[in-house]
Amino acid sequence: MYELGVVYRNIQRTDAQVADRLGPLGSATVHEAMGRVGLMKPYLRPIYAGAQVSGTAVTVLLHPGDNWMMHVVAEQIRPGDVVVAAITAECTDGYFGDLLATSFQARGARALVIDAGVRDVRTLTEMKFPVWSKAISSKGTIKATLGSVNVPVVCAGMLVTPGDVIIADDDGVVCVPRASAQKTLDAAAAREANEGEKRAKLAAGVLGLDMYNMRESLAKAGLRYVD
Amino acid sequence: MYELGVVYRNIQRTDAQVADRLGPLGSATVHEAMGRVGLMKPYLRPIYAGAQVSGTAVTVLLHPGDNWMMHVVAEQIRPGDVVVAAITAECTDGYFGDLLATSFQARGARALVIDAGVRDVRTLTEMKFPVWSKAISSKGTIKATLGSVNVPVVCAGMLVTPGDVIIADDDGVVCVPRASAQKTLDAAAAREANEGEKRAKLAAGVLGLDMYNMRESLAKAGLRYVD
Amino acid sequence: MYELGVVYRNIQRTDAQVADRLGPLGSATVHEAMGRVGLMKPYLRPIYAGAQVSGTAVTVLLHPGDNWMMHVVAEQIRPGDVVVAAITAECTDGYFGDLLATSFQARGARALVIDAGVRDVRTLTEMKFPVWSKAISSKGTIKATLGSVNVPVVCAGMLVTPGDVIIADDDGVVCVPRASAQKTLDAAAAREANEGEKRAKLAAGVLGLDMYNMRESLAKAGLRYVD
Amino acid sequence: MYELGVVYRNIQRTDAQVADRLGPLGSATVHEAMGRVGLMKPYLRPIYAGAQVSGTAVTVLLHPGDNWMMHVVAEQIRPGDVVVAAITAECTDGYFGDLLATSFQARGARALVIDAGVRDVRTLTEMKFPVWSKAISSKGTIKATLGSVNVPVVCAGMLVTPGDVIIADDDGVVCVPRASAQKTLDAAAAREANEGEKRAKLAAGVLGLDMYNMRESLAKAGLRYVD
Amino acid sequence: MYELGVVYRNIQRTDAQVADRLGPLGSATVHEAMGRVGLMKPYLRPIYAGAQVSGTAVTVLLHPGDNWMMHVVAEQIRPGDVVVAAITAECTDGYFGDLLATSFQARGARALVIDAGVRDVRTLTEMKFPVWSKAISSKGTIKATLGSVNVPVVCAGMLVTPGDVIIADDDGVVCVPRASAQKTLDAAAAREANEGEKRAKLAAGVLGLDMYNMRESLAKAGLRYVD
Amino acid sequence: MYELGVVYRNIQRTDAQVADRLGPLGSATVHEAMGRVGLMKPYLRPIYAGAQVSGTAVTVLLHPGDNWMMHVVAEQIRPGDVVVAAITAECTDGYFGDLLATSFQARGARALVIDAGVRDVRTLTEMKFPVWSKAISSKGTIKATLGSVNVPVVCAGMLVTPGDVIIADDDGVVCVPRASAQKTLDAAAAREANEGEKRAKLAAGVLGLDMYNMRESLAKAGLRYVD
């Protein structure tokens, strides 16, 4: 994979209504709805607590220590997008700060997900521009080598194809492929619908052992109780 | 060690009054009072700042990626307990979320300490159910393999026997064995009693060098000053 | 390097006015102004968000698990200093807590930067005494072995000579050598002066591609656009 | 991405002659020939030194702690294949040992590349069945959950599509997409052809500065020499 | 747990014949025979390949950077023992080198397992004194603080009680409690007995899918094949 | 620190006879002789076992992913030198391979110590050109940004001034400042002289407890024996 020096201008974004509705369901519910796949590695952490976004992925592939393509991807952002940045090797440098965030926000980006470092996090927090990153670092970058924009990339262990849906919150970042976004939304919404009733029962002291009828299968597996 | 497929229902909990009084002394003071032992590895971090708890340990041993026994341990919780979860191999999956937290809280648990991942951290924060964990991850788990409940476990490098006292705050997590809980409480309280006076002296500009009479021993060790 | 058992009492501090003016410029801008050098490794993190300090370095070299010299360095602190603590091997123990912080603060220290662990972080946060550290840990230390005070040290991968300027904020920690402090301040201030105008343009939707005239050089490097 | 519970039996393998010729060129040369992309993360290490293989990828996607699909993928191996195993979350368990290696070898597999752990490494070394893995661990796995075979997977940060070419040696593991395998082979062979002459010159004491005509560009970039 | 300043001279060692017979079965087989528990974390690695030992545990608890108790434990070694060294906090210092190895070997120790660093590895390799450690480091240690000998310790995440059996080879380190050593030996030997026949079948091309009758359960779980 | 874009041609190398005699004493003995300082972090590992070198440091400072200055430093190598390469941020890329090694070897370099990655390790092993590195990686680098040659650098946590002595073996890498090289050699040789006699005693079964007269100080510290 990994074509270098190319910018794809026309990508097929997931329907905005589907993308928007996935966010509030949360990364954990969506990840379960996909069959427990789609999750980026948990080393990606939000720069501040409480952000919860979803949007359509525009992707950028960068080389270690070089953020030139960040300026190229900015032009490809449309309102409702989340920028997903992958690096061709491990790097913790600060590829992104308040100036780029101002530009991304002006173009309508909702967030950045980056498999590297970010800086100016206090200003980004004040701007309410959320970033999920591997590191926070003042280390600046150069502008010397071409990467690509809107090619499929691997970010924090997960393949992201431009136009996929990104769901990010305090629990992590999930990627839902465009082709399965509607199906995933339906499954996740169904999961969510059940949760209120379950929560009420558990709050009332009902045990999961009984609510999920686990006692029999546990006994069959050989669980024994000792007084 | 590590007996599998067993739930011990009757464990000897440390006296509740002792357990309760250890919490406010803090993990650092208690750890010192034990002779600088008893501390879990510092990679365990609270999911939100400011929580400070102590309680009696109920333990659960789980396999990687499998949270079945979490439902089994819920039944064994009594008010004032802290659940301590160990895994038989390294794992960052999210074993615990808002539904289990609702159940644990309804049973009277004060906190969870887990050598793996947790999810729904925003909701857990709103519920004020504190968790000390190795990771935050949306990754769900299966229910396929038996572990055990209320067996001695190693959590983040420290042995925890059911009924021991767990003290957890922003500085980390300490385990005090039941047999030495009263003695540790006495020693920790004595340490604490001294601190106010020391703090006042230091705030007034007195140096630790003088307050602790270190100058002579430093000189004896060979320390020399160069102007 | 690394002379042991010595305390240098007279060090040449960078001019206080220069040191003070570097802080508000921020670690990222200062690091760029130095030619993208001077940054400590990004594993150093502040114990609470929002702190932003600069000051002149007093240094202390310690052995793993031994904080004896922390009391020795306290005496050498002058108002406006930042204490920089290096360890002779990797260690996450909690070398520093609220008592030492009280003493450091009483002597006029603005912050601690330590390549190891710290404890009592809740109290330190309440005291508004910021610390940048590698770990948070209740683990206490002993007082058995001599290190040194005000010798050049390597902290988190960066050489710090006593009297250098330390700039620390949410993005990380930068060290500016005394000899280049004024020059760095001028360069950083110049960078900063440009940023307001750039930010306004970017906020108005102007692209970095145009504002920085990147299109030609990208095309020359071979970038191609696909519709 | 990540379809679960599916085995694709018919995959389009890269032409065997192309795959076979890429191996001796080595992972470093092939990676350069692709434009410095295609490399799996360097935490993947061979279980013994000196192995050098290339072959066509058959892929398997597994859940943490569950190696059931390893038996399913065995049936899909053809002579000349390299099995690439990805896990849906971080895991260091030993998914693979001497029995599976015997089976894989009998089916014609040349190697295993796995983003997790492996065991029986002494026997595997004696069998000359090379494995590139993230860990070595005795920890066994269960057989409870479906993954997939011959779907695209992300292994150690790199996308692998079934039929791609895997090149693995002491320097690491590279994946060459089927579509660009011939082009990459040509480019890599051309690079290789030049190396002998260069090596002779350098061995004779000619400097890279002169051989590559770097002096002018270094001077233009501002390099200065101080005597 | 963790009593400090005590040396237990009389420990109940597992029967030597049982301990000796567990070694050749290997850590992976023994770990499986215990129900997939008992394994130390896989970051412990042998300092040279090919060593395979088993023996009865004598334990030593040390403080970070302090190897004083290594000399104390030496006296407690009997022929057939394996020394297991735990540290009260994370440390990579080199606690053990060729002089201590000479002493340990003279006392009849078969190996050292240490949750820290070791040095003089070339000489240890020549002496054929195997060590499983977390790090290799020239960093020396001091002799200032008491630990304990022959108390239960946690080493690399696993509880070890003096007299337990340690099995260590290229795949890792397993601890078998004295009480279950005979039972584990029987189970491990039974597993081993089956392996030869299985290996022959697999080498002949029989698939695990058939040999283990997995096809039906896979189909029941929903696995589907696509041509 | 860290001046960029400069090559210092005239450095003061430690006397060759002193540098040469330090190597056979080994990194552990030399590190002890310096008072347990001078050691680079233990994550630096040799690419093959058994190499043991010492030599005078020539230094090179590089940017992440950019090995341009490697060609510049080659010209400054004199017979007996060891090249020490530092990077301005964390990086695992393969900065150095067989062509550069051929050039370095032709210039008389004895080894490379690099706080980053290396490649072509099989060829380097055949050439007997030892490298101590943080990673092994096929990832290539670009040639775009100036660093410096023969400035003081921090490599793996240790300050190295050009002309210092580097001692590297299987236990790690130590830097001895030029000014203290003779004194360190004398102290290390004295330590070494004692070791033969000690080893003989220990091999004969004498305990360190007796040989070092530790029993009294242990008893004074409170050690007690329990039968």
Side-chain angles (χ1 to χ4, degrees):
Chain A
M1 73 179 301
Y2 282 159
E3 195 183 4
L4 292 173
V6 187
V7 181
Y8 286 92
R9 274 196 281 234
N10 295 321
I11 62 171
Q12 289 197 276
R13 286 171 170 84
T14 302
D15 179 79
Q17 296 208 343
V18 174
D20 290 355
R21 288 180 55 203
L22 279 164
L25 295 165
S27 64
T29 296
V30 171
H31 157 77
E32 289 285 353
M34 292 216 291
R36 288 182 299 116
V37 296
L39 189 65
M40 294 187 190
K41 304 233 170 186
Y43 62 69
L44 284 191
R45 296 299 304 144
I47 59 167
Y48 58 87
Q52 186 171 37
V53 305
S54 64
T56 40
V58 296
T59 68
V60 55
L61 179 66
L62 306 124
H63 284 286
D66 191 316
N67 81 340
W68 208 9
M69 301 308 287
M70 279 292 191
H71 294 278
V72 179
V73 74
E75 190 175 26
Q76 306 306 317
I77 294 170
R78 293 196 194 159
D81 283 343
V82 170
V83 179
V84 176
I87 320 295
T88 61
E90 307 252 6
C91 187
T92 60
D93 290 0
Y95 281 74
F96 183 88
D98 63 346
L99 287 181
L100 272 166
T102 301
S103 179
F104 277 31
Q105 212 172 38
R107 307 288 299 179
R110 292 179 178 170
L112 170 69
V113 175
I114 181 165
D115 200 1
V118 63
R119 58 187 188 173
D120 299 332
V121 295
R122 193 162 72 160
T123 307
L124 297 184
T125 303
E126 290 164 4
M127 291 171 63
K128 294 200 182 306
F129 189 83
V131 177
W132 282 257
S133 73
K134 184 165 86 173
I136 293 170
S137 173
S138 299
K139 183 77 169 76
T141 48
I142 59 167
K143 298 176 206 315
T145 317
L146 292 188
S148 287
V149 167
N150 283 333
V151 295
V153 297
V154 173
C155 180
M158 182 54 44
L159 180 72
V160 178
T161 300
D164 288 352
V165 185
I166 301 300
I167 296 96
D169 55 24
D170 288 342
D171 290 341
V173 185
V174 171
C175 175
V176 180
R178 188 168 56 90
S180 54
Q182 179 66 56
K183 194 181 64 179
T184 300
L185 173 59
D186 296 344
R191 282 186 73 89
E192 179 75 356
N194 284 328
E195 295 225 332
E197 191 187 349
K198 285 184 195 166
R199 194 176 291 111
K201 279 190 188 172
L202 294 167
V206 177
L207 287 165
L209 289 175
D210 298 311
M211 192 172 79
Y212 301 112
N213 292 315
M214 288 175 171
R215 292 192 192 273
E216 195 181 351
S217 50
L218 284 162
K220 203 175 287 176
L223 188 68
R224 63 201 171 80
Y225 285 83
V226 178
D227 286 324
Chain B
M1 72 178 302
Y2 283 160
E3 195 183 3
L4 292 173
V6 188
V7 180
Y8 287 91
R9 272 195 283 232
N10 294 322
I11 62 171
Q12 290 197 275
R13 286 172 170 82
T14 302
D15 179 78
Q17 295 207 344
V18 174
D20 291 355
R21 287 179 56 204
L22 280 162
L25 294 165
S27 64
T29 296
V30 172
H31 157 77
E32 290 284 354
M34 292 215 291
R36 288 182 298 115
V37 296
L39 189 66
M40 295 188 189
K41 303 233 170 186
Y43 62 71
L44 284 192
R45 295 301 303 146
I47 59 168
Y48 58 87
Q52 185 170 37
V53 306
S54 63
T56 40
V58 294
T59 67
V60 56
L61 180 65
L62 305 126
H63 284 286
D66 191 316
N67 81 340
W68 209 9
M69 301 307 288
M70 278 292 191
H71 294 278
V72 179
V73 75
E75 192 176 25
Q76 306 307 318
I77 294 169
R78 292 197 195 158
D81 283 344
V82 170
V83 179
V84 176
I87 321 294
T88 60
E90 306 251 6
C91 188
T92 60
D93 290 0
Y95 280 75
F96 184 87
D98 63 346
L99 289 181
L100 272 166
T102 300
S103 180
F104 277 31
Q105 212 173 37
R107 306 289 297 180
R110 292 179 178 169
L112 169 69
V113 175
I114 182 166
D115 200 0
V118 63
R119 57 187 189 174
D120 300 331
V121 294
R122 193 163 70 161
T123 307
L124 298 183
T125 303
E126 290 164 5
M127 292 171 63
K128 294 203 184 302
F129 189 83
V131 178
W132 282 258
S133 73
K134 185 166 84 172
I136 292 170
S137 172
S138 298
K139 183 77 170 76
T141 48
I142 61 169
K143 299 175 205 317
T145 315
L146 292 189
S148 288
V149 167
N150 282 333
V151 295
V153 298
V154 173
C155 180
M158 183 52 45
L159 180 71
V160 179
T161 302
D164 287 353
V165 186
I166 302 299
I167 297 95
D169 55 22
D170 288 343
D171 290 342
V173 185
V174 170
C175 174
V176 180
R178 187 168 56 90
S180 54
Q182 179 66 57
K183 194 182 62 180
T184 300
L185 173 58
D186 296 344
R191 282 186 74 88
E192 179 76 356
N194 285 327
E195 295 225 332
E197 191 187 350
K198 285 184 196 166
R199 192 176 292 110
K201 279 190 188 168
L202 294 167
V206 176
L207 286 166
L209 288 176
D210 299 310
M211 192 171 79
Y212 301 113
N213 293 314
M214 289 174 171
R215 292 191 192 272
E216 194 182 353
S217 49
L218 285 163
K220 203 175 288 176
L223 189 67
R224 62 198 172 83
Y225 286 82
V226 178
D227 286 323
Chain C
M1 70 178 305
Y2 282 161
E3 196 182 1
L4 292 173
V6 188
V7 180
Y8 286 93
R9 273 195 282 233
N10 295 320
I11 62 171
Q12 289 196 275
R13 287 172 170 82
T14 302
D15 179 79
Q17 295 208 344
V18 174
D20 291 355
R21 287 178 57 204
L22 279 162
L25 295 165
S27 65
T29 295
V30 172
H31 156 77
E32 290 284 355
M34 291 215 292
R36 289 182 298 115
V37 296
L39 188 65
M40 294 188 189
K41 302 234 171 187
Y43 62 69
L44 283 192
R45 296 300 303 144
I47 59 168
Y48 58 86
Q52 186 171 36
V53 306
S54 63
T56 40
V58 295
T59 68
V60 55
L61 179 66
L62 305 126
H63 284 285
D66 191 316
N67 81 339
W68 208 10
M69 301 307 287
M70 279 292 191
H71 293 279
V72 179
V73 74
E75 192 176 25
Q76 306 308 317
I77 295 170
R78 294 199 194 155
D81 282 344
V82 170
V83 179
V84 175
I87 321 295
T88 61
E90 307 252 5
C91 187
T92 60
D93 290 0
Y95 281 74
F96 184 88
D98 61 346
L99 288 180
L100 273 166
T102 300
S103 180
F104 278 31
Q105 212 172 39
R107 306 289 298 178
R110 293 180 177 169
L112 170 69
V113 175
I114 181 165
D115 200 0
V118 63
R119 58 188 189 174
D120 300 331
V121 294
R122 193 164 68 162
T123 307
L124 298 184
T125 303
E126 290 164 4
M127 292 171 64
K128 293 202 183 307
F129 189 83
V131 179
W132 281 257
S133 73
K134 185 166 86 173
I136 293 169
S137 172
S138 299
K139 183 78 169 76
T141 48
I142 61 169
K143 298 176 204 318
T145 316
L146 292 188
S148 288
V149 167
N150 281 335
V151 295
V153 297
V154 173
C155 179
M158 183 53 44
L159 179 72
V160 178
T161 301
D164 287 353
V165 186
I166 302 299
I167 296 98
D169 55 23
D170 289 342
D171 290 341
V173 185
V174 170
C175 175
V176 180
R178 187 168 58 89
S180 53
Q182 179 66 57
K183 192 182 65 180
T184 300
L185 173 59
D186 296 344
R191 282 186 74 89
E192 179 77 355
N194 285 327
E195 295 225 334
E197 189 187 351
K198 285 184 194 166
R199 193 176 292 110
K201 280 190 188 171
L202 294 167
V206 176
L207 288 165
L209 288 176
D210 298 311
M211 193 171 80
Y212 300 113
N213 292 315
M214 289 174 170
R215 293 192 192 272
E216 194 181 354
S217 50
L218 285 163
K220 204 176 286 177
L223 188 68
R224 63 199 169 82
Y225 286 83
V226 177
D227 287 322
Chain D
M1 72 177 305
Y2 282 162
E3 194 182 3
L4 293 173
V6 187
V7 181
Y8 287 91
R9 272 196 284 235
N10 294 322
I11 61 172
Q12 288 197 277
R13 286 171 170 83
T14 302
D15 180 79
Q17 296 207 345
V18 174
D20 290 356
R21 288 178 56 204
L22 279 162
L25 295 165
S27 64
T29 296
V30 171
H31 156 78
E32 289 283 355
M34 291 216 290
R36 288 181 300 116
V37 295
L39 188 65
M40 293 186 190
K41 302 232 169 185
Y43 63 70
L44 285 191
R45 295 301 303 145
I47 59 168
Y48 57 86
Q52 187 173 38
V53 305
S54 63
T56 40
V58 295
T59 67
V60 55
L61 179 66
L62 305 125
H63 285 286
D66 190 316
N67 81 339
W68 209 8
M69 301 308 289
M70 279 292 192
H71 294 277
V72 178
V73 73
E75 191 175 28
Q76 306 308 317
I77 294 168
R78 294 197 194 157
D81 283 343
V82 170
V83 179
V84 176
I87 320 296
T88 60
E90 307 253 3
C91 188
T92 60
D93 290 359
Y95 280 76
F96 184 88
D98 63 346
L99 288 182
L100 272 166
T102 302
S103 180
F104 277 30
Q105 211 172 42
R107 306 288 299 180
R110 292 179 177 169
L112 170 69
V113 175
I114 182 166
D115 199 0
V118 63
R119 57 189 191 173
D120 299 332
V121 295
R122 191 162 72 162
T123 308
L124 298 184
T125 303
E126 289 163 6
M127 291 171 65
K128 293 199 185 307
F129 188 84
V131 178
W132 283 257
S133 73
K134 185 166 85 173
I136 293 171
S137 174
S138 299
K139 182 77 171 72
T141 48
I142 61 168
K143 296 174 208 315
T145 315
L146 292 189
S148 287
V149 168
N150 282 335
V151 295
V153 297
V154 173
C155 180
M158 183 53 42
L159 179 72
V160 179
T161 301
D164 287 352
V165 185
I166 302 298
I167 296 95
D169 54 24
D170 289 342
D171 290 341
V173 184
V174 171
C175 174
V176 181
R178 187 169 57 90
S180 54
Q182 180 65 56
K183 193 182 64 180
T184 300
L185 173 57
D186 296 344
R191 282 186 73 89
E192 179 77 357
N194 285 327
E195 296 225 332
E197 190 187 349
K198 286 183 195 167
R199 192 177 291 110
K201 279 190 187 169
L202 294 167
V206 176
L207 287 164
L209 288 176
D210 298 311
M211 193 171 80
Y212 300 114
N213 292 314
M214 287 174 173
R215 292 191 192 271
E216 194 183 352
S217 48
L218 284 163
K220 202 176 290 177
L223 189 68
R224 63 202 170 81
Y225 286 83
V226 178
D227 286 322
Chain E
M1 72 178 302
Y2 282 161
E3 195 183 3
L4 292 174
V6 187
V7 180
Y8 287 92
R9 272 195 282 234
N10 294 322
I11 62 171
Q12 288 197 275
R13 288 171 170 82
T14 302
D15 179 79
Q17 295 207 345
V18 174
D20 290 355
R21 287 178 57 205
L22 279 163
L25 294 165
S27 64
T29 295
V30 171
H31 157 78
E32 289 283 354
M34 291 216 291
R36 289 182 297 115
V37 295
L39 188 66
M40 293 187 191
K41 303 235 168 186
Y43 62 70
L44 284 192
R45 297 299 304 145
I47 59 168
Y48 57 87
Q52 187 171 36
V53 307
S54 63
T56 40
V58 295
T59 67
V60 56
L61 179 66
L62 306 125
H63 284 285
D66 190 315
N67 81 339
W68 208 8
M69 301 306 289
M70 280 292 193
H71 294 278
V72 179
V73 74
E75 191 176 26
Q76 306 307 318
I77 295 168
R78 294 197 194 156
D81 283 343
V82 170
V83 180
V84 176
I87 320 295
T88 61
E90 307 252 4
C91 188
T92 60
D93 290 0
Y95 281 76
F96 183 89
D98 63 346
L99 287 181
L100 273 167
T102 301
S103 180
F104 278 30
Q105 211 172 40
R107 306 289 298 180
R110 292 179 177 169
L112 169 69
V113 175
I114 182 166
D115 199 1
V118 64
R119 57 189 191 172
D120 299 332
V121 296
R122 192 161 74 162
T123 307
L124 298 184
T125 303
E126 289 163 7
M127 290 170 65
K128 293 201 184 304
F129 188 83
V131 178
W132 282 258
S133 73
K134 185 166 86 173
I136 294 170
S137 173
S138 299
K139 184 77 170 73
T141 47
I142 61 169
K143 298 177 208 315
T145 316
L146 291 189
S148 287
V149 167
N150 281 335
V151 294
V153 296
V154 172
C155 180
M158 183 52 44
L159 180 72
V160 178
T161 301
D164 287 351
V165 186
I166 302 298
I167 298 97
D169 55 23
D170 289 343
D171 290 341
V173 185
V174 171
C175 174
V176 180
R178 187 169 58 89
S180 54
Q182 180 65 56
K183 193 182 65 178
T184 300
L185 173 58
D186 296 343
R191 281 186 73 90
E192 179 76 355
N194 285 327
E195 295 225 333
E197 190 186 350
K198 284 184 196 166
R199 193 176 290 109
K201 278 191 188 170
L202 293 167
V206 176
L207 286 164
L209 288 176
D210 298 312
M211 193 171 80
Y212 299 114
N213 292 315
M214 287 175 172
R215 292 191 192 273
E216 195 182 351
S217 50
L218 284 163
K220 202 174 290 177
L223 189 67
R224 64 201 170 80
Y225 286 82
V226 178
D227 285 324
Chain F
M1 72 179 304
Y2 282 162
E3 193 182 4
L4 292 173
V6 186
V7 181
Y8 287 91
R9 272 195 284 233
N10 294 322
I11 62 172
Q12 288 196 278
R13 288 171 170 82
T14 302
D15 178 79
Q17 295 207 345
V18 174
D20 291 355
R21 287 179 55 205
L22 279 162
L25 295 165
S27 64
T29 296
V30 172
H31 157 79
E32 289 284 355
M34 290 216 290
R36 287 181 300 113
V37 295
L39 188 65
M40 294 188 191
K41 303 232 167 185
Y43 62 71
L44 284 192
R45 296 299 304 145
I47 58 168
Y48 58 87
Q52 188 171 35
V53 307
S54 63
T56 39
V58 295
T59 67
V60 56
L61 178 67
L62 305 125
H63 285 284
D66 190 316
N67 82 338
W68 208 9
M69 301 307 288
M70 280 292 193
H71 294 278
V72 178
V73 74
E75 191 175 27
Q76 306 307 318
I77 295 168
R78 293 197 193 156
D81 283 343
V82 170
V83 180
V84 175
I87 320 294
T88 60
E90 307 253 5
C91 187
T92 60
D93 291 359
Y95 280 76
F96 184 88
D98 63 345
L99 288 181
L100 273 167
T102 301
S103 179
F104 278 31
Q105 212 172 40
R107 307 288 299 181
R110 292 178 178 171
L112 170 68
V113 175
I114 181 166
D115 199 0
V118 63
R119 58 189 190 173
D120 299 331
V121 294
R122 191 161 74 162
T123 307
L124 298 184
T125 303
E126 289 163 5
M127 290 170 65
K128 293 200 184 304
F129 188 83
V131 179
W132 282 259
S133 73
K134 185 166 85 172
I136 294 170
S137 171
S138 300
K139 183 76 168 77
T141 47
I142 60 168
K143 297 175 207 319
T145 314
L146 291 189
S148 287
V149 167
N150 282 335
V151 294
V153 297
V154 172
C155 181
M158 183 52 44
L159 180 71
V160 178
T161 301
D164 288 351
V165 185
I166 302 299
I167 297 96
D169 55 24
D170 288 344
D171 290 341
V173 184
V174 171
C175 174
V176 180
R178 186 168 59 89
S180 53
Q182 180 65 55
K183 193 183 63 178
T184 300
L185 173 58
D186 296 343
R191 283 185 73 89
E192 179 76 355
N194 284 328
E195 295 225 333
E197 190 187 349
K198 286 185 195 165
R199 193 176 290 109
K201 280 191 187 169
L202 294 167
V206 176
L207 286 165
L209 288 176
D210 298 311
M211 193 171 80
Y212 300 114
N213 292 314
M214 289 176 174
R215 292 190 192 273
E216 194 181 353
S217 49
L218 284 163
K220 201 175 292 177
L223 190 67
R224 63 201 170 81
Y225 286 82
V226 179
D227 286 324

